[in-house]
Amino acid sequence: AVAAAKPNIVLFLQDDQDYALGGWDPMTQANSVIANNGATAENWFIHTPVCCPSRAEILSGRYAHNVVSTDFSGCMHVNESNVNPVSFGYYLNKAGYNIGYFGKHMNQAPKLPPPGFDCPNCWWFANGGGRDAEPGGYLNASFNDYTQLTNMGSVNGTYVGDTNGEYAGYTTAVIANKSITWLKHVATLDAPFMLTVAPKAPHVPSTPAVWYADRYSDRSAPRTPDYNASHTLLADHHWLISQQGPITLSQADDIDALFRNRWRTLLSVDDAIQGVYDTLVELGVQDNTYWFITSDHGYNLGQHRLPSCKLNVYDHDVRIPMVISGPGIKPGTTFDFPASNVDVAPTFMGLAGILGVTTMDGRSVAPLLINASDPAVPLSTRQHLEHVREQSDGAAPSWRDFHLIEYNSLGDVRRTGHLVDDPQSNTYRAIRSVRGQFGNILYAEFTALTDMHTFSNVSFYEFYDMDTDPHQLHNLYQSQSAELKSQLHDLVEREFHCRGTTCL
């Protein structure tokens, strides 16, 4: 293969697609055309398990503590002016990329295209996720629709889906087909492209397309060991969890129905991935394209007596799918180093050969996955790999053994009769180590929302041995040595205040 100057990049970003509860299982086409031809993460995490902060982190490559507001305002505490002017779209467009964004952006999506998404061949077709009910969720949703292109069918205003109109007004089908229309234009140009397709699926109301409404009728949500765990098992957790009442039979039925509909909505995402892949093959550009398929966080389906939603520190909420494929990545492989959504934008920078973006807190995973000797690796990507190797004196690049987690409570949030968030006990920062000095553990510090900027009044601690207790049911904090407690506190304190190159 002849290497191109710069690669194309495709990101599929789902909403609430979990890893721990089988959320990848419906993705059979994506598994066939992307995962089997690329690498699948075993330890990919989310930094903040709720929509707007997580998406801000993906867009900016910055940790929550570097994008949140100082006065508890903003989009789920995010100051969007710390994100939109310096997103991956801005930097990639400056480097010559045409940018298309189709689907959910941050929850307060800009009406007009933000910097980088406003170029002559760009297309901004975005919303904040729509409503959590119908109409306006998956059916007849509205989008901010702007492009300078005149042959895309854009309304250059507010697009409103129509169940009696194109693509049956079903949001996943709408954004997938709009993105394919855009690809057929930009793939013919003498410039690389970056495409984001961000479905609402499987976020509530989890409305399946009518053609998938009867699938999985015999399936139930996984009854994992932490599902409806006893009060005794949860008594040593922070207040939000220790006070949970049992999941009733009626609530269990609701959980099972939601589980089935979540999977049904993902079938349409799977179709969209196959459709975009087939289009890239047809256009002759697939071999020069890096794919990323991931989610903005995991989910609860009865785990720790939480019947739905996310917002919590445990693996079912923070561990997510990530599949990466493209030139130089060995097909059908897995990788186990811990990485997160904050590493996505820096990886895009690396693939495009963009140097000097010092504001990002994450790091490029490209040097750990791409074989630089593969002749198909684009020149810009090869330069990035060589630059990283030079910085490490010719050795393989080092990588962190842990992942930093931060969450600032959204207040009293109730789902299916249960409190799933609260402002007094469920603001936290945590270290999710998978190897190295601390081994496979979770360490978390909890405080009140009013303490989110300093953590000067930590009220509760949790520590789990993930080898012996993968479902995080036995809090071992009190039995840990003073030395280990101090080391973990010092690490989370340091990372909580890191910025740019000072972050590990």
Side-chain angles (χ1 to χ4, degrees), residues 223-302:
R223 288 341 190 228
T224 53
D226 49 349
Y227 177 92
N228 206 15
S230 70
H231 176 73
T232 301
L233 282 175
L234 301 181
D236 60 2
H237 293 56
H238 65 292
W239 179 85
L240 177 68
I241 303 302
S242 66
Q243 62 81 41
Q244 291 291 329
I247 291 172
T248 66
L249 290 176
S250 174
Q251 290 169 349
D253 288 342
D254 290 342
I255 290 170
D256 289 338
L258 176 60
F259 170 81
R260 288 188 287 270
N261 280 334
R262 283 168 55 83
W263 274 29
R264 289 163 179 158
T265 66
L266 287 169
L267 291 174
S268 293
V269 177
D270 201 37
D271 287 342
I273 291 169
Q274 182 71 59
V276 169
Y277 174 85
D278 289 344
T279 300
L280 297 182
V281 171
E282 175 189 337
L283 296 170
V285 295
Q286 165 59 26
D287 290 345
N288 185 44
T289 299
Y290 286 100
W291 277 77
F292 296 77
I293 305 176
T294 191
S295 173
D296 60 357
H297 37 67
Y299 212 66
N300 315 306
L301 287 166

Side-chain angles (χ1 to χ4, degrees), residues 79 107 184 219 233 294 322-323 332 354 418-419:
N79 180 347
N107 293 57
K184 289 180 177 179
R219 300 297 298 262
L233 282 175
T294 191
M322 173 58 91
V323 172
I354 301 171
H418 287 244
L419 189 68

Side-chain angles (χ1 to χ4, degrees), residues 131-210:
R131 300 180 65 238
D132 289 349
E134 303 297 357
Y138 289 74
L139 306 172
N140 300 341
S142 299
F143 294 87
N144 303 317
D145 177 11
Y146 290 93
T147 180
Q148 297 180 46
L149 298 168
T150 58
N151 57 344
M152 299 290 106
S154 171
V155 300
N156 278 310
T158 300
Y159 174 98
V160 181
D162 180 0
T163 49
N164 296 313
E166 64 176 2
Y167 316 124
Y170 189 69
T171 180
T172 308
V174 169
I175 63 173
N177 282 285
K178 297 286 186 183
S179 71
I180 288 171
T181 298
W182 181 74
L183 283 174
K184 289 180 177 179
H185 170 73
V186 295
T188 66
L189 305 177
D190 188 22
F193 59 81
M194 193 282 159
L195 166 67
T196 300
V197 181
K200 185 179 180 71
H203 192 287
V204 294
S206 308
T207 307
V210 292

Side-chain angles (χ1 to χ4, degrees), residues 59-186:
L59 287 160
S60 68
R62 307 179 76 187
Y63 285 129
H65 60 261
N66 289 326
V67 298
V68 295
S69 65
T70 58
D71 59 359
F72 306 98
S73 63
C75 183
M76 299 180 182
H77 305 302
V78 170
N79 180 347
E80 294 146 282
S81 66
N82 291 331
V83 179
N84 286 322
V86 290
S87 74
F88 63 67
Y90 168 73
Y91 290 110
L92 288 170
N93 182 240
K94 281 185 64 178
Y97 277 74
N98 292 314
I99 313 293
Y101 199 105
F102 300 84
K104 182 176 178 179
H105 189 250
M106 289 189 288
N107 293 57
Q108 295 176 9
K111 182 173 181 60
L112 296 176
F117 298 87
D118 53 356
C119 72
N121 287 296
C122 293
W123 195 352
W124 175 249
F125 191 88
N127 66 11
R131 300 180 65 238
D132 289 349
E134 303 297 357
Y138 289 74
L139 306 172
N140 300 341
S142 299
F143 294 87
N144 303 317
D145 177 11
Y146 290 93
T147 180
Q148 297 180 46
L149 298 168
T150 58
N151 57 344
M152 299 290 106
S154 171
V155 300
N156 278 310
T158 300
Y159 174 98
V160 181
D162 180 0
T163 49
N164 296 313
E166 64 176 2
Y167 316 124
Y170 189 69
T171 180
T172 308
V174 169
I175 63 173
N177 282 285
K178 297 286 186 183
S179 71
I180 288 171
T181 298
W182 181 74
L183 283 174
K184 289 180 177 179
H185 170 73
V186 295

